[in-house]
Amino acid sequence: MKFLKTRRKRKRILNSDLDMGILSEKKLLIGVSGGIASYKVCEVIRQLTDLGASVQVVLTKHAANFVTALTFETLTNQPALTEMFPEDGMVATRHIDVPRMVDRLLICPATANLIGKIANGIADDLLSSMIMVAGAEKTTVCPAMNTDMWFNPIVQKNVDALRELGYSFIDPGFGELACRTEGIGKLASVERIVSRMRIELLYSNVFKGKNFLITAGPTREFLDPVRYLTNASSGKMGYALAEAALSRGANVKLITGPTVLDTPEGATLIEVNNAVEMEEAVKISYPSTDILVMAAAVADYAPIRASRSKIKKGKDDLTLGLRRTPDILGSLAKSKEERIHVGFAMETENLIANARKKIQEKNLDLIVANNLLVEGAGFETDTNVVTIIDREGGEMSLPNMSKRELALTIMDEVAAFVGTRSSQIKSAIHV
Ligand code: CTP
């Protein structure tokens, strides 16, 4: 990640001595399964215990071939658990008691085998039984494996099934793998894992009582009953943002152009066709909105006249007259008051300069900028490569990641903004 000026300032605050003890009320269970990346979890534990978290490890028998229970016990100061059937003095129901007592369960690394077990309801050892007790809401999964294993359709199907159930994922990154090949499958960096756990432990309910208005998808500007101008937006980014806000306790209204996506559980869906309808829907809900996220790819132009009947072809060429559609986000710049406004910028050149201009012109707090020409970025993919820019000029370039993980990261940034406005969250961030 590239942190520029103001971002560095915020990072320094987060990593200062003031941070020590920030997680002191939090209990974390870390499930370690048998992959070579399990050695990296030692550093994750170190950093989380430095922040005050109480950490206990449960490891599979295969994991114990890579890192011993003794290492984890030394780092956590707590017994590291492996056996389903406990030794003397330990209760036989600990596979239920321990996950119930903790605030979160982090599975790190999660092998293809373990992911398969969770997705198929198999609980044949202590870790998989504890995962079944903890359930989707409490669990974060950090996969790490060889690229071929990761892209094996069975693994991808299992991952998708778990995401659908609400398990939170920290996606593997790209890099050199233990098998000496390069590809996707490397455990996410320690920095990413610690930062996500910190957010999930502190802010799982950070948006409770907050009203989000999120727009998604394309608009269709009809020329006649069968033809329209549109763009390639799939709506995946906006829907992922709705899910991410819901997972942190928000009330979410999702105003969407035409998509084929399922409504996120718990969201209020408002379906629209064109830019004018989207503007009307946004303006109706805006007075009760705390946070507006405009992820929709609103058409900037619509046919001046839409014909009521199908336009028949003639001998000559046809020239279309287009008029500007309303700039929904721009038109709310002056009514913003204490609300938080997040916009998106899709560019093919001068990404940062154009995005900064849009922050000023549309009076935004954050803008998520992507270059449509970068591989992995753009409309129809499941991934995106973006830079998030805040109104003070702070800039954070993120690696290629799934739209779902990106949505969580954007919500982390929104949470930081809510934090600057709400004393309760502010103290959680800075104390
Ligand atoms: N947007 C909007 N209404 C429009 C067009 C865009 O509210 N009619 C919002 C988008 O949802 C996005 C942001 O404004 O959050 C930026 O959109 P973008 O199309 O990138 O920028 P434009 O302002 O339309 O400028 P241009 O197309 O010239 O880059």
Side-chain angles (χ1 to χ4, degrees):
M1 275 185 214
K2 189 175 102 197
F3 291 98
L4 293 187
K5 233 174 175 181
T6 57
R7 180 66 45 191
R8 275 206 209 102
K9 217 171 14 190
R10 193 190 296 171
K11 276 287 280 184
R12 255 203 312 275
I13 293 168
L14 292 178
N15 289 337
S16 75
D17 290 347
L18 290 174
D19 255 9
M20 298 298 164
I22 192 174
L23 298 180
S24 62
E25 305 282 299
K26 303 296 175 187
K27 289 196 178 72
L28 180 67
L29 181 63
I30 300 189
V32 183
S33 59
I36 178 62
S38 52
Y39 79 92
K40 295 185 187 162
V41 81
C42 297
E43 184 56 28
V44 171
I45 294 172
R46 181 106 225 174
Q47 294 200 17
L48 288 166
T49 51
D50 276 355
L51 294 171
S54 154
V55 177
Q56 184 161 27
V57 169
V58 51
L59 66 161
T60 63
K61 292 212 167 104
H62 284 161
N65 286 318
F66 291 100
V67 184
T68 65
L70 181 65
T71 309
F72 292 127
E73 289 181 352
T74 313
L75 287 168
T76 62
N77 214 14
Q78 299 204 50
L81 311 173
T82 324
E83 298 300 328
M84 185 73 195
F85 300 102
E87 302 88 63
D88 289 349
M90 285 185 171
V91 283
T93 55
R94 61 185 179 165
H95 67 291
I96 295 168
D97 304 333
V98 175
R100 272 196 187 153
M101 258 167 16
V102 295
D103 296 293
R104 271 205 93 70
L105 166 59
L106 167 70
I107 308 170
C108 179
T111 57
N113 178 50
L114 184 60
I115 290 170
K117 288 209 293 192
I118 314 170
N120 291 285
I122 295 170
D124 62 352
D125 64 2
L126 186 61
L127 175 56
S128 50
S129 304
M130 285 182 167
I131 296 168
M132 193 166 274
V133 174
E137 240 175 59
K138 233 186 206 186
T139 307
T140 305
V141 187
C142 248
M145 64 196 75
N146 157 274
T147 309
D148 293 339
M149 292 172 88
W150 175 247
F151 285 113
N152 184 306
I154 298 174
V155 174
Q156 287 299 311
K157 194 171 138 224
N158 288 335
V159 169
D160 285 348
L162 292 177
R163 288 194 211 268
E164 283 303 314
L165 289 170
Y167 285 84
S168 158
F169 271 76
I170 306 178
D171 295 331
F174 176 90
E176 193 185 337
L177 305 169
C179 52
R180 300 282 170 237
T181 54
E182 261 206 348
I184 292 180
K186 198 180 162 76
L187 187 75
S189 67
V190 170
E191 186 197 14
R192 245 170 91 199
I193 298 168
V194 171
S195 134
R196 171 55 47 76
M197 289 327 290
R198 189 190 156 105
I199 297 280
E200 289 187 348
L201 285 165
L202 286 174
Y203 307 129
S204 61
N205 251 341
V206 68
F207 295 139
K208 202 167 180 63
K210 298 282 177 202
N211 295 328
F212 275 69
L213 185 58
I214 299 176
T215 66
T219 60
R220 286 180 181 170
E221 311 301 331
F222 277 85
L223 186 57
D224 68 15
V226 288
R227 303 182 181 96
Y228 50 79
L229 295 178
T230 190
N231 54 63
S233 169
S234 62
K236 285 178 185 165
M237 192 67 240
Y239 277 59
L241 286 160
E243 280 172 11
L246 285 161
S247 75
R248 297 201 172 154
N251 307 319
V252 174
K253 262 189 200 163
L254 179 59
I255 298 178
T256 179
T259 75
V260 294
L261 304 172
D262 293 333
T263 308
E265 191 60 42
T268 305
L269 195 76
I270 301 166
E271 292 175 289
V272 297
N273 265 310
N274 57 37
V276 169
E277 283 175 22
M278 186 170 276
E279 185 190 38
E280 272 169 27
V282 168
K283 290 203 163 151
I284 289 170
S285 297
Y286 190 71
S288 60
T289 295
D290 299 305
I291 294 132
L292 171 68
V293 184
M294 281 289 306
V298 188
D300 285 323
Y301 293 93
I304 292 175
R305 244 170 267 107
S307 165
R308 282 173 186 273
S309 50
K310 187 182 164 208
I311 300 170
K312 302 297 281 178
K313 63 178 170 297
K315 280 200 209 96
D316 300 327
D317 291 345
L318 179 70
T319 305
L320 281 182
L322 300 177
R323 62 172 163 74
R324 278 291 310 267
T325 56
D327 179 346
I328 306 171
L329 196 50
S331 72
L332 293 168
K334 290 209 175 83
S335 340
K336 183 175 172 294
E337 297 173 348
E338 289 305 300
R339 293 180 187 84
I340 295 168
H341 281 192
V342 181
F344 278 71
M346 304 229 163
E347 308 288 345
T348 49
E349 54 192 0
N350 302 328
L351 177 71
I352 304 299
N354 284 340
R356 283 183 193 282
K357 211 165 136 225
K358 284 177 192 171
I359 284 205
Q360 299 307 327
E361 285 171 0
K362 302 198 184 196
N363 191 16
L364 305 179
D365 297 285
L366 288 175
I367 195 157
V368 182
N370 69 348
N371 184 337
L372 286 173
L373 303 182
V374 169
E375 202 188 323
F379 274 143
E380 281 161 321
T381 59
D382 283 327
T383 58
N384 211 344
V385 187
V386 308
T387 299
I388 304 179
I389 304 170
D390 67 22
R391 61 185 303 134
E392 284 99 36
E395 195 182 299
M396 180 166 68
S397 296
L398 296 168
N400 183 325
M401 56 173 73
S402 69
K403 285 184 175 166
R404 278 186 154 130
E405 189 181 351
L406 175 59
L408 289 168
T409 309
I410 293 168
M411 286 301 155
D412 294 347
E413 289 305 308
V414 174
F417 261 93
V418 174
T420 62
R421 288 146 206 254
S422 142
S423 59
Q424 192 202 334
I425 299 161
K426 189 176 174 189
S427 62
I429 290 175
H430 296 295
V431 171

